[in-house]
Amino acid sequence: MQNLTTKAAKEYILNEYGYLKHDIKKLIKATRSTAKKYNCNPLKMFFFMIENRPIKGIHTHSYGFNTSLGREIKETFKNNYYE
């Protein structure tokens, strides 16, 4: 996946996990707004939220666990998703 689009994200999730649990439009909107707040690429934010991949340049993980900043990003994402 090169760019974060609704179609690409939906296809990725369906190919990797077989089903979609969440509203894909809200998921993408929350991903983009959270990425903007933390000055990050939306695609990297998407993979951080979906697969818990570390984001280079942002200290999101330490020894495989989320740091306080990583947990803050996840909480911000959750608030953006449900607003």
Side-chain angles (χ1 to χ4, degrees), residues 1 3-29 31-32 43 46-47 50:
M1 185 170 16
N3 293 314
L4 184 62
T5 63
T6 303
K7 181 182 176 188
K10 183 177 181 178
E11 287 176 4
Y12 178 82
I13 293 170
L14 289 173
N15 287 337
E16 293 296 316
Y17 302 102
Y19 61 96
L20 190 62
K21 286 170 82 171
H22 300 284
D23 181 338
I24 192 67
K25 290 180 183 177
K26 288 173 66 175
L27 184 75
I28 298 305
K29 183 180 177 189
T31 299
R32 289 180 178 152
L43 192 58
F46 175 78
F47 287 120
I50 298 297

Side-chain angles (χ1 to χ4, degrees), residues 44 47 70 73 79:
K44 291 181 181 178
F47 287 120
I73 291 170
N79 292 336

Side-chain angles (χ1 to χ4, degrees), residues 13 47 49 54 58 62 65 69 72 83:
I13 293 170
F47 287 120
M49 294 308 300
I58 302 176
S62 180
F65 295 98
L69 179 57
E72 176 185 318
E83 70 178 17

Side-chain angles (χ1 to χ4, degrees), residues 37-72:
K37 178 177 180 177
Y38 290 97
N39 196 26
C40 171
N41 178 305
L43 192 58
K44 291 181 181 178
M45 183 63 67
F46 175 78
F47 287 120
F48 173 66
M49 294 308 300
I50 298 297
E51 297 186 345
N52 201 31
R53 289 187 196 172
I55 301 173
K56 289 186 180 182
I58 302 176
H59 190 65
T60 57
H61 288 77
S62 180
Y63 298 101
F65 295 98
N66 289 132
T67 61
S68 61
L69 179 57
R71 292 188 302 272
E72 176 185 318

